Amino acid sequence: MLAIIVTSHGEFARGILQSAEMIFGKAQKVVAVTLAANESVEDLANHYQAAIADMQPVSELLFLVDLWGGSPFNAASRVVAQQPDKYGLVAGLNLPMLIEALSIQNQTLAEVIPHLERAAQGGIRHLDLQAGAGEDDLLWP
C-alpha cells in the first residue's frame, strides 16, 4: 500500500485530510505534516522522517504538497531525492486529488502520479449557467 504524506504551510494539510476522510472514510498509512510559522525547512524534513518511521513498513511514498517551490515542497523534494525510485511528490494539493489518492492507494507510484495530476485538474471547474450546458440542473431538485 502506498504511504502518503499530506503537507502544507500551516494547518491546511490537517484540515484537508479531515475533509477527505469525512467523504472517503478513515485512511491508512496517510499522515498530515504541517509547517508552523516558527519552523525551518530542516525542521519539516525531520517531521517527514518521523512520519515515515511511524508508517513503516513503507515500500512507496507519495508527498502531496500545497505549493510548488514552497518550504513543504523544498523539504519533501530533499527526502524524495534520497529515494527517487520509491518516493514521489505532487504539488497543488486539492480535495479531489486527495480523495482520488486515497481511492487508488493500492496502485504503484508510477500509476498514481499521472492519475492524480488528471484528477486534480478535473476538479477545477466553474459553474456556467449562461452556456445552457445543464449545470443548472445540479442546483435545484
Side-chain angles (χ1 to χ4, degrees):
M1 173 179 282
L2 182 66
I4 301 171
I5 294 178
V6 182
T7 184
S8 68
H9 296 84
E11 295 297 315
F12 175 66
R14 284 193 183 97
I16 199 168
L17 180 56
Q18 180 186 26
S19 295
E21 288 182 335
M22 286 178 67
I23 296 164
F24 183 80
K26 182 68 178 151
Q28 296 179 342
K29 289 208 177 205
V30 179
V31 65
V33 177
T34 61
L35 174 67
N38 63 343
E39 291 182 310
S40 67
V41 172
E42 290 75 27
D43 293 330
L44 189 55
N46 291 334
H47 296 322
Y48 292 157
Q49 293 297 347
I52 293 167
D54 288 345
M55 289 191 286
Q56 289 300 324
V58 171
S59 58
E60 291 187 312
L61 172 69
L62 176 63
F63 286 91
L64 297 177
V65 304
D66 59 353
L67 183 64
W68 183 275
S71 295
F73 173 90
N74 292 335
S77 66
R78 290 180 187 178
V79 177
V80 171
Q82 295 170 5
Q83 297 195 54
D85 57 323
K86 294 175 53 176
Y87 294 174
L89 186 156
V90 177
L93 175 62
N94 64 31
L95 191 54
M97 174 197 289
L98 181 53
I99 291 169
E100 200 64 29
L102 298 177
S103 73
I104 61 172
Q105 218 176 338
N106 60 335
Q107 295 183 23
T108 68
L109 193 60
E111 296 167 317
V112 168
I113 288 176
H115 183 84
L116 293 184
E117 289 175 315
R118 290 188 302 273
Q121 291 171 350
I124 299 169
R125 302 178 61 189
H126 78 281
L127 177 65
D128 185 359
L129 297 178
Q130 301 300 318
E135 289 98 344
D136 57 338
D137 293 339
L138 299 174
L139 298 176
W140 301 281

